[in-house]
């Protein structure tokens, strides 16, 4: 590919506008809309992997745009009525195709790189954990935009109609939508029998990814390899269509994308738990005595250590040998809708939990005590309020000897529930110490096993 010709192509063609059309809507989407990509530990500017995953999720909309813009570029010779003239020149068709594809590829790659750069600059200011594990996620994102545009060019050259670009863009959008809906999901059920769905290997043919749920979750190596094979096949088919001149060669040009799809499906993992995996380096614990957080949150350890140790002291004074002896960030990754799993010997916390997210100092100590007594059994990814919140308020009051306000769902208890929790707390505190411990132990057994109502146990009901 001649450098001078490529520079002329970049200056005089519409290729640079492809980068603008990708970059501007992406930044507008991220900065003008207030979504989950701005909140908690998985914000797109909080961690490197989260940034890479969130920018990849934007390809749900950006990839169809790239395909449509590529098709528009592919129509250029047809619109200028120069197709026959160009075929009569001695310059090989593959050279002309390489120049056209290269110019658009450079602008799209640059646009996505700028998007990553904008996020990366902000990530630098928000985390101490540096690594390169996010890089393959972003590189595959660049490849997907380039492959989609080249495929669009080839399709535009093979089907020279003004309807081709919008039809391809809409078809690409339908494809990504189906990959994240019916075709890309497998029906399953939680341990409690609640219907749910999870991504299957077909969903990984989409360049877009699932929403980010945990800061230390990343894509597995087979996903990167399988998606790269699929996208390279797509790009090869697009380029072959660009240089094809007969119906037979155009039909043959479909071979790479079909072969890429087959090989990719053989490489891509079928189990959702092998698609999105825990990054062991990111989830490695950093500790201050009995208080530990993951490397991704090591900047929070200094603020957590004091309240964490004080919470353990209070719990030991109240529960004796039955008290937990450590505080640790929860690194378990469970399917959405599944029942949480808790440990009797460890207070597990999540920095995205409303109860601890904004708590500091003494309030954080109270929140950790409350989590140690009643961790909460709301299914993963769900929200709700009920017996857990009521029991948590009473249990904290029992440990401290007085009812204290809690953040999160417990702060939004309706007046009737607040009155009921106060009544149950007073009744509990009026009982002999042995009976108090009996009810508290029954409550903890119910709360830790997620089998029943811990608030009912505090009132003297049957333990689960």
């Amino acid at each position: 590919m001649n450098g001078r010709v490529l520079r002329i192509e970049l200056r005089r063609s519409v290729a640079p506008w492809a980068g603008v059309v990708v970059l501007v809507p992406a930044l507008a989407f991220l900065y003008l809309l207030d979504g989950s990509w701005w909140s908690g530990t998985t914000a797109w500017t909080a961690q490197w992997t989260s940034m890479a995953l969130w920018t990849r999720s934007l390809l749900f909309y950006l990839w169809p745009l790239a395909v449509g813009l590529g098709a528009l570029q592919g129509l250029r010779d047809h619109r200028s009525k120069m197709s026959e003239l160009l075929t009569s020149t001695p310059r090989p068709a593959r050279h002309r195709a390489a120049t056209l594809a290269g110019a658009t590829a450079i602008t799209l790659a640059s646009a996505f790189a700028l998007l990553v750069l904008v996020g990366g600059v902000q990530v630098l200011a928000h985390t101490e954990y540096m690594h390169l594990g996010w890089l393959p996620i972003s590189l595959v994102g660049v490849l997907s935009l380039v492959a989609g545009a080249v495929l669009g060019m080839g399709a535009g050259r093979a089907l020279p109609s003004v309807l081709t670009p919008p039809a391809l863009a809409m078809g690409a959008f339908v494809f990504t939508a189906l990959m994240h809906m019916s075709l890309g999901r497998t029906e399953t059920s939680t341990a409690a029998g609640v219907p749910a769905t999870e991504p299957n290997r077909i969903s990984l043919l989409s360049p877009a990814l699932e929403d980010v749920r945990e800061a230390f979750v990343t894509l597995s190596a087979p996903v990167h390899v399988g998606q790269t094979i699929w996208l390279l096949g797509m790009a090869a088919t697009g380029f072959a269509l660009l240089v094809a001149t007969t119906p037979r060669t155009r039909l043959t040009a479909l071979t790479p994308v079909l072969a890429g799809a087959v090989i990719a499906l053989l490489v891509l993992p079928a189990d959702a738990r092998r698609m999105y995996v825990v990054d062991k380096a990111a989830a490695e614990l950093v500790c201050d005595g009995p208080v530990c957080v993951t490397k991704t949150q090591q900047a929070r350890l200094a603020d957590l250590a004091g309240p964490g140790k004080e919470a353990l002291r209070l719990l030991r004074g109240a529960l004796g040998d039955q008290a937990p002896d450590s505080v640790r960030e929860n690194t378990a990754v469970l399917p959405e809708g599944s029942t949480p799993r808790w440990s009797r010997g460890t207070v597990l916390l999540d920095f995205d939990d409303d109860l601890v997210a904004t708590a500091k100092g003494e309030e954080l100590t109270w929140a950790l005590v409350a989590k140690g007594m009643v961790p909460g059994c709301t299914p993963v990814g769900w929200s709700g309020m009920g017996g857990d919140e009521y029991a948590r308020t009473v249990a904290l009051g029992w440990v401290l000897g007085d009812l204290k306000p809690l953040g999160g769902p417990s702060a939004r208890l309706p007046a009737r529930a607040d009155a009921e929790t106060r009544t149950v707390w007073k009744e509990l505190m009026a009982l002999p110490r042995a009976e108090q411990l009996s009810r508290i132990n029954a409550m903890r057994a119910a709360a830790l096993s997620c089998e029943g109502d811990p608030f009912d146990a505090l009132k003297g009901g049957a333990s689960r």
Side-chain angles (χ1 to χ4, degrees):
M1 182 165 52
N2 188 292
R4 180 172 172 273
V5 175
L6 180 60
R7 287 193 295 272
I8 294 173
E9 184 77 24
L10 286 170
R11 285 200 308 268
R12 298 184 179 180
S13 75
V14 298
W17 288 103
V20 174
V21 170
V22 166
L23 179 61
V24 173
L27 292 175
F29 185 91
L30 288 170
Y31 282 96
L32 298 182
L33 298 179
D34 185 16
S36 54
W37 51 89
W38 281 115
S39 61
T41 61
T42 58
W44 85 289
T45 57
Q47 299 290 336
W48 291 102
T49 300
S50 298
M51 180 272 295
L53 291 171
W54 276 121
T55 50
R56 278 285 299 275
S57 71
L58 291 177
L59 295 180
F60 187 93
Y61 309 101
L62 299 181
W63 188 72
L65 277 177
V67 174
L69 288 168
L72 192 63
Q73 278 282 74
L75 290 177
R76 187 177 65 178
D77 293 348
H78 176 74
R79 290 197 309 270
S80 59
K81 297 180 171 56
M82 293 179 58
S83 300
E84 293 183 4
L85 176 63
L86 290 172
T87 55
S88 66
T89 63
R91 189 183 180 203
R94 65 178 180 276
H95 289 182
R96 296 194 304 272
T99 302
L100 178 64
T104 303
I106 288 172
T107 58
L108 287 174
S110 300
F112 196 78
L114 281 173
L115 178 64
V116 171
L117 180 62
V118 169
V121 169
Q122 297 175 82
V123 171
L124 280 172
H126 291 133
T127 185
E128 297 178 1
Y129 178 56
M130 303 296 171
H131 64 105
L132 295 177
W134 59 274
L135 201 54
I137 301 173
S138 293
L139 289 176
V140 173
V142 170
L143 179 59
S144 67
L145 285 175
V146 172
V150 174
L151 181 66
M153 290 178 202
R157 181 70 58 85
L159 302 170
S161 167
V162 294
L163 298 178
T164 299
L168 279 179
M170 182 57 66
F173 180 75
V174 170
F175 173 78
T176 57
L178 288 176
M179 291 300 98
H180 289 268
M181 293 164 56
S182 54
L183 289 180
R185 308 293 295 186
T186 299
E187 293 185 359
T188 182
S189 60
T190 66
V194 179
T197 63
E198 62 182 17
N200 55 36
R201 73 174 75 194
I202 296 177
S203 70
L204 297 175
L205 295 180
S206 169
L209 299 173
E210 300 280 313
D211 289 347
V212 188
R213 282 181 43 208
E214 301 288 351
F216 43 80
V217 169
T218 187
L219 291 175
S220 64
V223 173
H224 297 316
V225 174
Q227 290 184 331
T228 299
I229 292 171
W230 156 241
L231 293 170
L232 288 175
M234 184 186 298
T237 286
F239 191 82
L241 287 172
L242 269 177
V243 300
T245 56
T246 65
R248 182 175 179 178
T249 54
R250 288 173 184 143
L251 188 61
T252 304
L254 298 177
T255 302
V257 71
L258 295 177
V262 172
I263 297 172
L265 289 174
L266 293 175
V267 173
L268 293 169
D271 189 348
R273 288 167 293 187
R274 292 177 54 230
M275 300 174 190
Y276 295 87
V277 297
V278 173
D279 182 342
K280 294 182 179 179
E284 184 179 336
L285 295 179
V286 179
C287 300
D288 182 343
V291 181
C292 301
V293 298
T294 62
K295 275 192 174 180
T296 60
Q297 304 302 324
Q298 58 188 343
R300 298 191 183 206
L301 182 58
D303 293 332
L304 179 67
K309 293 173 184 176
E310 177 62 13
L312 292 175
R313 186 190 68 79
L314 291 170
L315 287 167
R316 186 160 192 82
L319 298 173
D321 294 340
Q322 299 297 314
D325 57 11
S326 62
V327 174
R328 178 168 60 82
E329 184 180 355
N330 193 358
T331 58
V333 178
L334 301 175
E336 187 168 353
S338 60
T339 302
R341 301 170 187 170
W342 303 116
S343 167
R344 183 176 291 274
T346 303
V347 178
L348 296 174
L349 68 99
D350 184 342
F351 286 108
D352 288 328
D353 190 329
D354 289 342
L355 195 62
V356 299
T358 58
K360 295 181 179 180
E362 189 176 54
E363 290 184 356
L364 181 54
T365 298
W366 297 346
L368 293 173
V369 170
K371 290 291 290 183
M373 297 295 286
V374 183
C377 291
T378 302
V380 176
W382 295 15
S383 60
M385 184 170 62
D388 285 346
E389 284 68 37
Y390 305 160
R392 187 177 289 147
T393 301
V394 174
L396 175 63
W398 178 78
V399 172
L400 300 179
D402 189 17
L403 286 179
K404 298 292 184 180
L406 279 171
S410 300
R412 302 188 292 271
L413 291 179
R416 180 181 60 81
D418 183 64
E420 186 177 3
T421 56
R422 184 168 295 275
T423 299
V424 171
W425 174 75
K426 288 180 178 179
E427 291 177 354
L428 179 65
M429 298 302 288
L431 294 172
R433 178 68 180 176
E435 179 61 23
Q436 290 180 28
L437 283 173
S438 176
R439 292 193 181 188
I440 288 293
N441 288 334
M443 177 211 69
R444 291 196 74 217
L448 293 169
S449 64
C450 290
E451 296 178 358
D453 186 352
F455 192 52
D456 184 55
L458 283 175
K459 292 187 288 187
S463 167
R464 289 146 275 177

